[in-house]
Amino acid sequence: MPSSPIPIPVSASHAVAASASPSYTSPKPGLKNLHPVENVDLRLLLLENISQEAVAAFRVQGFHVDHHTKAMSEDELIQILPSYHAIGIRSKTKITARVVKAATKLIVIGCFCIGTNQVDLPAAAQAGIPVFNSPFSNSRSVAELVMGELVALSRQLFERSYELRQGVWNKQSKGCWEVRGKTLGIVGYGHIGAQLSVLAEAFGMRVIFYDVLNIMPLGSARQVESLDVLLADADFVTLHVPELPETIDMISKPQFALMKKGAYLINNSRGKVVDIPALIDALKSKHLAGAAIDVFPVEPGSNGAPFGDQLNPWASILRTLPNVILTPHIGGSTEEAQRAIGEEVSLALTRYLDYGSTVGAVNFPEVDLRAVPEQGNNIRVCHVHKNQPGVLKLVNEVLSPYNVEKQFSDSKGDIAYLMADIADVSLQEIAQLREHISSTSANILTRFLA
């Protein structure tokens, strides 16, 4: 069907960005840059001190970016988010089902961290919103922190340092140990656990691990058959599991009783994984020799806020215990890790906003198409729909008058996602296509890129 060329809608900010510096997603020569037809000036909200490199990367892309250093409450998000198309958060901001429902323009969420439990993933998927995170970028940062905590706990470094700052010279070896020759038990042998395994062996430690999956160990590490076996054998137990219903309070009074007398616990995973009152009892009774805790069930929303009993009723007691390292969720907070996370997540969000790619989404079918050739008047259809029979037939009937050059579809649970590149379509015809596809009963969200 002959048609007039499509004028590519590029905002002034996009034009400036294109001349300023190359973007993360610039295609190879001969391939076309795509941009949303419906939303030329996309607005992004970034919270919680996300890497400045990521902020700059979005602005280079030409997006309007509002950046705030603090987290926002549910009510604040419900008030402000309806004017934004994308949001980037870390661990403190909670994207609940209420927030998703209120954010009528929202089309993508970026978690600039490993975890995604701060987002209601099913609610986001049902609204056609993919969620991206950075599952690998801060693994080394967390693993190195654990190694530092192992040495600090075994040598009582925090206590000795505090005493000396108070003018007390307390040189002693009682209760201080080398980590060499000791057994490290890793609970959760994922990206962090595996890297930690290698580092610990370099320190001369024996490594065992427990995971719900059978995993090929690195080095001389050995997988054990149960958590109970690991707890009974390890001198140091370190946790690297997500927050799931089955992991909440997975380390509680019965588990502490299984651990060796004089053992140590380290938690850099999620705050609800450990029953903190039970940990306090194990430390007070001296069954455990020490602990390092970087994450808590409830955490302050911003730097400088108090960490007291109003947040967690046991906080003041925990702060008084000897040989306990308490840190404010800094596991992945190194310059290197935050820079890598910023680049990875900003790239994923940009690829979705400008190209429709959902590769790496945690709650969505992973769909991608090769780049569009620069020649020709091609458009890309990105159709999120309910996973039910007959959808592809209906959509393809709408597209049948045109040459569909590429098409790919996949589903995940109740959500399906279709991408298709169509040749020789005018802007007027895009409006008709949008009306026809969006009016189908299974439609959740349909975007056009040109």
Side-chain angles (χ1 to χ4, degrees), residues 24-25 34-36 107-110 128-133 344-372 380-384 408-410 417-421 445 447-449:
Y24 283 158
T25 56
L34 294 176
H35 299 294
I107 52 180
V108 68
I109 296 170
I129 303 171
V131 178
F132 297 90
N133 68 334
E344 182 179 356
V345 180
S346 63
L347 174 59
L349 265 61
T350 301
R351 280 175 54 82
Y352 178 70
L353 291 170
D354 275 352
Y355 295 94
S357 172
T358 55
V359 172
V362 298
N363 66 330
F364 228 68
E366 295 190 73
V367 176
D368 197 10
L369 288 179
R370 65 183 184 271
V372 175
R380 176 165 289 179
V381 181
C382 303
H383 178 49
V384 185
F408 184 54
S409 177
D410 200 1
Y417 184 44
L418 166 71
M419 290 177 66
D421 286 347
L445 176 68
R447 297 195 304 143
F448 287 80
L449 310 175

Tab-separated table of all heavy atoms in Angstrom, residues 24-25 34-36 107-110 128-133 344-372 380-384 408-410 417-421 445 447-449:
chain	number	residue	atom	x	y	z
A	24	TYR	N	23.962	5.494	24.675
A	24	TYR	CA	24.218	4.094	24.960
A	24	TYR	C	23.588	3.195	23.900
A	24	TYR	O	24.061	2.109	23.654
A	24	TYR	CB	23.622	3.716	26.324
A	24	TYR	CG	24.414	4.186	27.508
A	24	TYR	CD1	23.812	4.339	28.751
A	24	TYR	CD2	25.749	4.489	27.390
A	24	TYR	CE1	24.528	4.760	29.841
A	24	TYR	CE2	26.483	4.922	28.492
A	24	TYR	CZ	25.861	5.054	29.717
A	24	TYR	OH	26.574	5.471	30.797
A	25	THR	N	22.485	3.661	23.279
A	25	THR	CA	21.742	2.780	22.386
A	25	THR	C	21.816	3.225	20.937
A	25	THR	O	20.976	2.857	20.140
A	25	THR	CB	20.270	2.708	22.822
A	25	THR	OG1	19.741	4.027	22.852
A	25	THR	CG2	20.133	2.082	24.191
A	34	LEU	N	14.832	4.766	16.775
A	34	LEU	CA	13.384	4.807	16.964
A	34	LEU	C	13.041	5.702	18.142
A	34	LEU	O	13.827	5.850	19.079
A	34	LEU	CB	12.844	3.400	17.211
A	34	LEU	CG	12.947	2.408	16.045
A	34	LEU	CD1	12.465	1.040	16.486
A	34	LEU	CD2	12.163	2.894	14.841
A	35	HIS	N	11.850	6.282	18.100
A	35	HIS	CA	11.336	7.080	19.211
A	35	HIS	C	9.836	6.848	19.320
A	35	HIS	O	9.167	6.560	18.319
A	35	HIS	CB	11.621	8.569	19.006
A	35	HIS	CG	13.071	8.900	18.911
A	35	HIS	ND1	13.942	8.741	19.969
A	35	HIS	CD2	13.821	9.359	17.882
A	35	HIS	CE1	15.155	9.091	19.598
A	35	HIS	NE2	15.117	9.467	18.342
A	36	PRO	N	9.274	6.974	20.506
A	36	PRO	CA	7.832	6.776	20.656
A	36	PRO	C	7.038	7.789	19.844
A	36	PRO	O	7.357	8.982	19.837
A	36	PRO	CB	7.603	6.970	22.163
A	36	PRO	CG	8.937	6.718	22.787
A	36	PRO	CD	9.947	7.197	21.795
A	107	ILE	N	5.049	3.606	32.056
A	107	ILE	CA	5.226	2.485	31.130
A	107	ILE	C	6.446	1.636	31.459
A	107	ILE	O	6.608	0.554	30.878
A	107	ILE	CB	5.312	2.962	29.661
A	107	ILE	CG1	6.369	4.050	29.488
A	107	ILE	CG2	3.967	3.443	29.172
A	107	ILE	CD1	6.482	4.559	28.062
A	108	VAL	N	7.287	2.042	32.417
A	108	VAL	CA	8.438	1.212	32.768
A	108	VAL	C	8.964	1.619	34.137
A	108	VAL	O	8.864	2.788	34.541
A	108	VAL	CB	9.556	1.322	31.699
A	108	VAL	CG1	10.179	2.713	31.682
A	108	VAL	CG2	10.619	0.251	31.887
A	109	ILE	N	9.511	0.637	34.877
A	109	ILE	CA	10.103	0.860	36.202
A	109	ILE	C	11.520	0.308	36.196
A	109	ILE	O	11.759	-0.811	35.732
A	109	ILE	CB	9.283	0.158	37.300
A	109	ILE	CG1	7.875	0.747	37.389
A	109	ILE	CG2	9.982	0.255	38.660
A	109	ILE	CD1	6.930	-0.057	38.284
A	110	GLY	N	12.455	1.070	36.728
A	110	GLY	CA	13.832	0.613	36.856
A	110	GLY	C	14.236	0.541	38.313
A	110	GLY	O	14.111	1.529	39.046
A	128	GLY	N	0.865	-3.613	32.267
A	128	GLY	CA	1.700	-3.522	31.077
A	128	GLY	C	3.022	-2.832	31.312
A	128	GLY	O	3.623	-2.295	30.374
A	129	ILE	N	3.524	-2.870	32.563
A	129	ILE	CA	4.744	-2.147	32.934
A	129	ILE	C	5.853	-3.145	33.238
A	129	ILE	O	5.809	-3.841	34.262
A	129	ILE	CB	4.498	-1.253	34.165
A	129	ILE	CG1	3.367	-0.269	33.902
A	129	ILE	CG2	5.780	-0.517	34.550
A	129	ILE	CD1	2.921	0.495	35.128
A	130	PRO	N	6.873	-3.259	32.389
A	130	PRO	CA	8.006	-4.122	32.716
A	130	PRO	C	8.885	-3.494	33.789
A	130	PRO	O	8.980	-2.268	33.891
A	130	PRO	CB	8.757	-4.243	31.388
A	130	PRO	CG	8.405	-3.006	30.644
A	130	PRO	CD	7.010	-2.636	31.068
A	131	VAL	N	9.521	-4.345	34.581
A	131	VAL	CA	10.411	-3.899	35.653
A	131	VAL	C	11.809	-4.453	35.369
A	131	VAL	O	11.975	-5.657	35.149
A	131	VAL	CB	9.915	-4.386	37.034
A	131	VAL	CG1	10.879	-3.956	38.133
A	131	VAL	CG2	8.508	-3.852	37.306
A	132	PHE	N	12.796	-3.573	35.389
A	132	PHE	CA	14.174	-3.960	35.140
A	132	PHE	C	15.011	-3.727	36.394
A	132	PHE	O	14.749	-2.792	37.161
A	132	PHE	CB	14.771	-3.157	33.983
A	132	PHE	CG	14.082	-3.385	32.667
A	132	PHE	CD1	13.015	-2.589	32.283
A	132	PHE	CD2	14.491	-4.398	31.816
A	132	PHE	CE1	12.367	-2.792	31.063
A	132	PHE	CE2	13.857	-4.614	30.605
A	132	PHE	CZ	12.798	-3.812	30.230
A	133	ASN	N	16.028	-4.559	36.585
A	133	ASN	CA	16.938	-4.379	37.714
A	133	ASN	C	18.365	-4.649	37.250
A	133	ASN	O	18.621	-4.782	36.052
A	133	ASN	CB	16.559	-5.304	38.880
A	133	ASN	CG	16.787	-6.770	38.549
A	133	ASN	OD1	16.760	-7.183	37.387
A	133	ASN	ND2	16.995	-7.578	39.568
A	344	GLU	N	23.776	-0.085	33.570
A	344	GLU	CA	22.998	-1.257	33.157
A	344	GLU	C	21.502	-0.967	33.137
A	344	GLU	O	20.800	-1.287	32.164
A	344	GLU	CB	23.290	-2.436	34.087
A	344	GLU	CG	22.560	-3.705	33.695
A	344	GLU	CD	22.885	-4.875	34.609
A	344	GLU	OE1	23.745	-4.731	35.508
A	344	GLU	OE2	22.284	-5.952	34.423
A	345	VAL	N	20.984	-0.346	34.202
A	345	VAL	CA	19.536	-0.127	34.282
A	345	VAL	C	19.100	1.002	33.345
A	345	VAL	O	18.047	0.914	32.709
A	345	VAL	CB	19.104	0.151	35.733
A	345	VAL	CG1	17.598	0.380	35.814
A	345	VAL	CG2	19.493	-1.013	36.631
A	346	SER	N	19.901	2.058	33.235
A	346	SER	CA	19.531	3.136	32.311
A	346	SER	C	19.518	2.627	30.877
A	346	SER	O	18.665	3.029	30.074
A	346	SER	CB	20.486	4.321	32.452
A	346	SER	OG	21.811	3.968	32.103
A	347	LEU	N	20.438	1.727	30.549
A	347	LEU	CA	20.437	1.131	29.210
A	347	LEU	C	19.180	0.305	28.983
A	347	LEU	O	18.534	0.392	27.928
A	347	LEU	CB	21.678	0.263	29.039
A	347	LEU	CG	21.776	-0.561	27.743
A	347	LEU	CD1	21.741	0.347	26.525
A	347	LEU	CD2	23.037	-1.402	27.752
A	348	ALA	N	18.792	-0.501	29.986
A	348	ALA	CA	17.597	-1.335	29.846
A	348	ALA	C	16.348	-0.479	29.676
A	348	ALA	O	15.486	-0.773	28.831
A	348	ALA	CB	17.461	-2.249	31.062
A	349	LEU	N	16.230	0.592	30.469
A	349	LEU	CA	15.055	1.458	30.369
A	349	LEU	C	15.014	2.172	29.023
A	349	LEU	O	13.955	2.280	28.394
A	349	LEU	CB	15.047	2.483	31.509
A	349	LEU	CG	14.225	2.094	32.747
A	349	LEU	CD1	14.762	0.817	33.377
A	349	LEU	CD2	14.235	3.233	33.770
A	350	THR	N	16.162	2.653	28.567
A	350	THR	CA	16.204	3.351	27.291
A	350	THR	C	15.869	2.417	26.135
A	350	THR	O	15.154	2.791	25.205
A	350	THR	CB	17.593	3.982	27.081
A	350	THR	OG1	17.854	4.898	28.148
A	350	THR	CG2	17.654	4.739	25.760
A	351	ARG	N	16.377	1.191	26.202
A	351	ARG	CA	16.075	0.225	25.145
A	351	ARG	C	14.581	-0.090	25.098
A	351	ARG	O	14.024	-0.314	24.021
A	351	ARG	CB	16.876	-1.065	25.360
A	351	ARG	CG	18.316	-0.970	24.900
A	351	ARG	CD	19.087	-2.244	25.245
A	351	ARG	NE	18.424	-3.438	24.736
A	351	ARG	CZ	18.516	-3.890	23.488
A	351	ARG	NH1	19.250	-3.231	22.604
A	351	ARG	NH2	17.898	-4.985	23.115
A	352	TYR	N	13.928	-0.104	26.256
A	352	TYR	CA	12.490	-0.349	26.238
A	352	TYR	C	11.726	0.874	25.743
A	352	TYR	O	10.824	0.752	24.902
A	352	TYR	CB	11.982	-0.742	27.624
A	352	TYR	CG	10.477	-0.961	27.619
A	352	TYR	CD1	9.930	-2.061	26.975
A	352	TYR	CD2	9.609	-0.046	28.203
A	352	TYR	CE1	8.550	-2.257	26.925
A	352	TYR	CE2	8.237	-0.232	28.166
A	352	TYR	CZ	7.716	-1.339	27.525
A	352	TYR	OH	6.350	-1.515	27.456
A	353	LEU	N	12.073	2.049	26.248
A	353	LEU	CA	11.344	3.251	25.870
A	353	LEU	C	11.476	3.548	24.385
A	353	LEU	O	10.503	3.911	23.722
A	353	LEU	CB	11.851	4.445	26.694
A	353	LEU	CG	11.512	4.424	28.184
A	353	LEU	CD1	12.270	5.512	28.916
A	353	LEU	CD2	10.006	4.575	28.403
A	354	ASP	N	12.685	3.391	23.843
A	354	ASP	CA	12.930	3.776	22.456
A	354	ASP	C	12.839	2.619	21.464
A	354	ASP	O	12.634	2.849	20.274
A	354	ASP	CB	14.305	4.427	22.335
A	354	ASP	CG	14.277	5.915	22.644
A	354	ASP	OD1	13.171	6.465	22.795
A	354	ASP	OD2	15.350	6.522	22.741
A	355	TYR	N	13.006	1.378	21.932
A	355	TYR	CA	13.042	0.251	21.003
A	355	TYR	C	12.062	-0.865	21.348
A	355	TYR	O	11.865	-1.787	20.556
A	355	TYR	CB	14.461	-0.333	20.921
A	355	TYR	CG	15.447	0.636	20.330
A	355	TYR	CD1	16.203	1.465	21.152
A	355	TYR	CD2	15.613	0.744	18.955
A	355	TYR	CE1	17.098	2.378	20.615
A	355	TYR	CE2	16.504	1.647	18.410
A	355	TYR	CZ	17.246	2.465	19.240
A	355	TYR	OH	18.119	3.370	18.701
A	356	GLY	N	11.472	-0.826	22.550
A	356	GLY	CA	10.491	-1.831	22.917
A	356	GLY	C	11.074	-3.113	23.482
A	356	GLY	O	10.321	-4.031	23.815
A	357	SER	N	12.392	-3.207	23.623
A	357	SER	CA	13.016	-4.444	24.084
A	357	SER	C	12.741	-4.673	25.567
A	357	SER	O	12.919	-3.783	26.394
A	357	SER	CB	14.532	-4.381	23.857
A	357	SER	OG	15.168	-5.486	24.459
A	358	THR	N	12.330	-5.910	25.902
A	358	THR	CA	12.101	-6.264	27.305
A	358	THR	C	13.115	-7.288	27.809
A	358	THR	O	12.885	-7.934	28.828
A	358	THR	CB	10.672	-6.817	27.499
A	358	THR	OG1	10.472	-7.909	26.598
A	358	THR	CG2	9.637	-5.747	27.253
A	359	VAL	N	14.227	-7.440	27.098
A	359	VAL	CA	15.262	-8.371	27.546
A	359	VAL	C	15.769	-7.928	28.919
A	359	VAL	O	16.170	-6.776	29.111
A	359	VAL	CB	16.420	-8.422	26.535
A	359	VAL	CG1	17.589	-9.246	27.096
A	359	VAL	CG2	15.948	-9.012	25.215
A	360	GLY	N	15.731	-8.840	29.887
A	360	GLY	CA	16.163	-8.526	31.246
A	360	GLY	C	15.042	-8.133	32.188
A	360	GLY	O	15.282	-7.964	33.387
A	361	ALA	N	13.813	-7.997	31.699
A	361	ALA	CA	12.691	-7.652	32.580
A	361	ALA	C	12.389	-8.824	33.515
A	361	ALA	O	12.411	-9.975	33.097
A	361	ALA	CB	11.456	-7.296	31.768
A	362	VAL	N	12.107	-8.516	34.781
A	362	VAL	CA	11.906	-9.582	35.773
A	362	VAL	C	10.459	-10.056	35.847
A	362	VAL	O	10.195	-11.132	36.386
A	362	VAL	CB	12.378	-9.125	37.165
A	362	VAL	CG1	13.852	-8.806	37.156
A	362	VAL	CG2	11.583	-7.913	37.654
A	363	ASN	N	9.521	-9.290	35.330
A	363	ASN	CA	8.098	-9.627	35.476
A	363	ASN	C	7.386	-9.728	34.135
A	363	ASN	O	6.153	-9.696	34.088
A	363	ASN	CB	7.398	-8.558	36.318
A	363	ASN	CG	7.348	-7.208	35.623
A	363	ASN	OD1	8.241	-6.882	34.837
A	363	ASN	ND2	6.326	-6.426	35.897
A	364	PHE	N	8.148	-9.863	33.065
A	364	PHE	CA	7.591	-9.662	31.733
A	364	PHE	C	8.178	-10.660	30.761
A	364	PHE	O	9.316	-11.127	30.953
A	364	PHE	CB	7.962	-8.235	31.270
A	364	PHE	CG	6.829	-7.432	30.707
A	364	PHE	CD1	5.796	-7.012	31.519
A	364	PHE	CD2	6.812	-7.070	29.371
A	364	PHE	CE1	4.761	-6.245	31.013
A	364	PHE	CE2	5.788	-6.303	28.853
A	364	PHE	CZ	4.749	-5.889	29.673
A	365	PRO	N	7.462	-11.011	29.695
A	365	PRO	CA	8.083	-11.814	28.638
A	365	PRO	C	9.272	-11.058	28.043
A	365	PRO	O	9.215	-9.839	27.862
A	365	PRO	CB	6.962	-11.963	27.596
A	365	PRO	CG	5.709	-11.574	28.284
A	365	PRO	CD	6.071	-10.648	29.382
A	366	GLU	N	10.348	-11.780	27.736
A	366	GLU	CA	11.542	-11.145	27.163
A	366	GLU	C	11.465	-11.226	25.640
A	366	GLU	O	11.616	-12.290	25.048
A	366	GLU	CB	12.805	-11.822	27.677
A	366	GLU	CG	13.004	-11.634	29.174
A	366	GLU	CD	14.366	-12.101	29.649
A	366	GLU	OE1	15.369	-11.422	29.377
A	366	GLU	OE2	14.419	-13.169	30.274
A	367	VAL	N	11.234	-10.068	25.025
A	367	VAL	CA	11.034	-9.981	23.582
A	367	VAL	C	11.937	-8.880	23.028
A	367	VAL	O	12.093	-7.822	23.641
A	367	VAL	CB	9.557	-9.675	23.239
A	367	VAL	CG1	9.367	-9.495	21.739
A	367	VAL	CG2	8.655	-10.779	23.772
A	368	ASP	N	12.522	-9.137	21.865
A	368	ASP	CA	13.366	-8.143	21.210
A	368	ASP	C	13.325	-8.396	19.710
A	368	ASP	O	13.040	-9.507	19.254
A	368	ASP	CB	14.800	-8.235	21.725
A	368	ASP	CG	15.618	-6.990	21.393
A	368	ASP	OD1	15.029	-5.994	20.929
A	368	ASP	OD2	16.838	-7.011	21.615
A	369	LEU	N	13.596	-7.356	18.918
A	369	LEU	CA	13.725	-7.470	17.470
A	369	LEU	C	15.008	-6.784	17.039
A	369	LEU	O	15.470	-5.840	17.694
A	369	LEU	CB	12.543	-6.811	16.751
A	369	LEU	CG	11.185	-7.521	16.810
A	369	LEU	CD1	10.141	-6.698	16.067
A	369	LEU	CD2	11.250	-8.921	16.229
A	370	ARG	N	15.590	-7.254	15.945
A	370	ARG	CA	16.798	-6.606	15.431
A	370	ARG	C	16.457	-5.192	14.989
A	370	ARG	O	15.289	-4.846	14.746
A	370	ARG	CB	17.390	-7.404	14.283
A	370	ARG	CG	16.539	-7.492	13.035
A	370	ARG	CD	17.207	-8.376	11.984
A	370	ARG	NE	16.457	-8.397	10.726
A	370	ARG	CZ	15.507	-9.237	10.442
A	370	ARG	NH1	15.157	-10.154	11.363
A	370	ARG	NH2	14.876	-9.200	9.289
A	371	ALA	N	17.482	-4.365	14.866
A	371	ALA	CA	17.282	-2.953	14.557
A	371	ALA	C	16.621	-2.764	13.198
A	371	ALA	O	16.722	-3.608	12.300
A	371	ALA	CB	18.617	-2.224	14.595
A	372	VAL	N	15.946	-1.628	13.067
A	372	VAL	CA	15.222	-1.301	11.841
A	372	VAL	C	16.174	-0.633	10.850
A	372	VAL	O	16.916	0.285	11.222
A	372	VAL	CB	14.046	-0.351	12.156
A	372	VAL	CG1	13.344	0.092	10.881
A	372	VAL	CG2	13.073	-1.033	13.097
A	380	ARG	N	7.319	0.384	14.447
A	380	ARG	CA	7.358	-0.789	15.327
A	380	ARG	C	6.146	-0.761	16.248
A	380	ARG	O	5.868	0.249	16.912
A	380	ARG	CB	8.645	-0.795	16.135
A	380	ARG	CG	8.747	-1.931	17.154
A	380	ARG	CD	10.167	-2.106	17.655
A	380	ARG	NE	11.016	-2.673	16.589
A	380	ARG	CZ	12.315	-2.922	16.749
A	380	ARG	NH1	12.917	-2.637	17.889
A	380	ARG	NH2	13.014	-3.436	15.751
A	381	VAL	N	5.417	-1.864	16.263
A	381	VAL	CA	4.263	-2.014	17.144
A	381	VAL	C	4.703	-2.800	18.381
A	381	VAL	O	5.304	-3.871	18.260
A	381	VAL	CB	3.119	-2.774	16.440
A	381	VAL	CG1	1.916	-2.896	17.372
A	381	VAL	CG2	2.733	-2.092	15.145
A	382	CYS	N	4.410	-2.271	19.562
A	382	CYS	CA	4.707	-2.939	20.832
A	382	CYS	C	3.377	-3.133	21.561
A	382	CYS	O	2.808	-2.171	22.080
A	382	CYS	CB	5.666	-2.099	21.672
A	382	CYS	SG	7.231	-1.715	20.849
A	383	HIS	N	2.910	-4.365	21.575
A	383	HIS	CA	1.548	-4.653	22.030
A	383	HIS	C	1.588	-5.582	23.245
A	383	HIS	O	1.916	-6.766	23.133
A	383	HIS	CB	0.761	-5.298	20.889
A	383	HIS	CG	-0.634	-5.697	21.238
A	383	HIS	ND1	-1.532	-4.859	21.867
A	383	HIS	CD2	-1.300	-6.874	21.045
A	383	HIS	CE1	-2.678	-5.484	22.035
A	383	HIS	NE2	-2.567	-6.712	21.553
A	384	VAL	N	1.268	-5.033	24.414
A	384	VAL	CA	1.143	-5.833	25.636
A	384	VAL	C	-0.316	-6.238	25.775
A	384	VAL	O	-1.214	-5.386	25.697
A	384	VAL	CB	1.590	-5.033	26.880
A	384	VAL	CG1	1.576	-5.931	28.112
A	384	VAL	CG2	2.967	-4.415	26.670
A	408	PHE	N	7.640	-10.937	16.602
A	408	PHE	CA	8.012	-11.898	17.642
A	408	PHE	C	7.081	-11.699	18.826
A	408	PHE	O	6.762	-10.566	19.201
A	408	PHE	CB	9.469	-11.698	18.071
A	408	PHE	CG	9.960	-12.715	19.076
A	408	PHE	CD1	9.851	-14.069	18.823
A	408	PHE	CD2	10.515	-12.318	20.282
A	408	PHE	CE1	10.295	-15.016	19.724
A	408	PHE	CE2	10.967	-13.245	21.203
A	408	PHE	CZ	10.855	-14.599	20.927
A	409	SER	N	6.648	-12.816	19.410
A	409	SER	CA	5.730	-12.757	20.541
A	409	SER	C	6.140	-13.788	21.582
A	409	SER	O	6.667	-14.857	21.243
A	409	SER	CB	4.299	-13.037	20.082
A	409	SER	OG	3.407	-13.056	21.192
A	410	ASP	N	5.915	-13.461	22.845
A	410	ASP	CA	6.170	-14.409	23.930
A	410	ASP	C	5.228	-14.075	25.075
A	410	ASP	O	4.626	-12.990	25.120
A	410	ASP	CB	7.630	-14.324	24.380
A	410	ASP	CG	8.072	-15.576	25.140
A	410	ASP	OD1	7.256	-16.500	25.287
A	410	ASP	OD2	9.230	-15.620	25.603
A	417	TYR	N	3.429	-10.413	25.123
A	417	TYR	CA	3.999	-9.217	24.513
A	417	TYR	C	4.349	-9.523	23.060
A	417	TYR	O	5.029	-10.510	22.773
A	417	TYR	CB	5.243	-8.786	25.297
A	417	TYR	CG	5.889	-7.503	24.834
A	417	TYR	CD1	5.132	-6.378	24.521
A	417	TYR	CD2	7.278	-7.399	24.734
A	417	TYR	CE1	5.726	-5.199	24.117
A	417	TYR	CE2	7.883	-6.215	24.338
A	417	TYR	CZ	7.112	-5.117	24.029
A	417	TYR	OH	7.705	-3.946	23.621
A	418	LEU	N	3.864	-8.680	22.159
A	418	LEU	CA	4.101	-8.827	20.731
A	418	LEU	C	4.836	-7.606	20.212
A	418	LEU	O	4.461	-6.464	20.512
A	418	LEU	CB	2.765	-8.977	19.988
A	418	LEU	CG	2.795	-8.810	18.467
A	418	LEU	CD1	3.479	-10.003	17.816
A	418	LEU	CD2	1.384	-8.620	17.912
A	419	MET	N	5.910	-7.841	19.442
A	419	MET	CA	6.582	-6.769	18.721
A	419	MET	C	6.532	-7.094	17.240
A	419	MET	O	6.742	-8.239	16.837
A	419	MET	CB	8.035	-6.620	19.174
A	419	MET	CG	8.195	-6.071	20.574
A	419	MET	SD	9.935	-6.000	21.082
A	419	MET	CE	10.566	-4.760	19.951
A	420	ALA	N	6.252	-6.077	16.417
A	420	ALA	CA	6.199	-6.270	14.971
A	420	ALA	C	6.694	-5.012	14.279
A	420	ALA	O	6.360	-3.890	14.697
A	420	ALA	CB	4.774	-6.594	14.519
A	421	ASP	N	7.506	-5.189	13.236
A	421	ASP	CA	7.958	-4.081	12.394
A	421	ASP	C	7.191	-4.114	11.085
A	421	ASP	O	7.136	-5.143	10.405
A	421	ASP	CB	9.458	-4.201	12.111
A	421	ASP	CG	10.300	-3.848	13.328
A	421	ASP	OD1	9.738	-3.278	14.282
A	421	ASP	OD2	11.515	-4.144	13.325
A	445	LEU	N	-1.658	-2.503	26.800
A	445	LEU	CA	-0.934	-1.297	26.421
A	445	LEU	C	-0.356	-1.490	25.029
A	445	LEU	O	0.269	-2.517	24.749
A	445	LEU	CB	0.203	-1.022	27.414
A	445	LEU	CG	1.115	0.166	27.108
A	445	LEU	CD1	0.346	1.474	27.252
A	445	LEU	CD2	2.328	0.167	28.038
A	447	ARG	N	1.986	0.538	22.103
A	447	ARG	CA	2.820	1.700	21.749
A	447	ARG	C	3.290	1.551	20.306
A	447	ARG	O	3.467	0.439	19.820
A	447	ARG	CB	4.047	1.800	22.659
A	447	ARG	CG	3.716	2.028	24.120
A	447	ARG	CD	4.963	2.484	24.874
A	447	ARG	NE	6.066	1.536	24.738
A	447	ARG	CZ	7.350	1.884	24.621
A	447	ARG	NH1	7.686	3.153	24.538
A	447	ARG	NH2	8.278	0.965	24.539
A	448	PHE	N	3.553	2.699	19.673
A	448	PHE	CA	4.120	2.710	18.330
A	448	PHE	C	5.422	3.497	18.340
A	448	PHE	O	5.494	4.599	18.913
A	448	PHE	CB	3.139	3.344	17.335
A	448	PHE	CG	1.969	2.469	17.005
A	448	PHE	CD1	0.876	2.370	17.865
A	448	PHE	CD2	1.967	1.713	15.841
A	448	PHE	CE1	-0.204	1.569	17.555
A	448	PHE	CE2	0.888	0.893	15.533
A	448	PHE	CZ	-0.187	0.821	16.392
A	449	LEU	N	6.444	2.932	17.746
A	449	LEU	CA	7.754	3.571	17.641
A	449	LEU	C	8.067	3.800	16.188
A	449	LEU	O	7.815	2.951	15.336
A	449	LEU	CB	8.836	2.681	18.261
A	449	LEU	CG	8.551	2.147	19.670
A	449	LEU	CD1	9.650	1.187	20.095
A	449	LEU	CD2	8.422	3.292	20.671
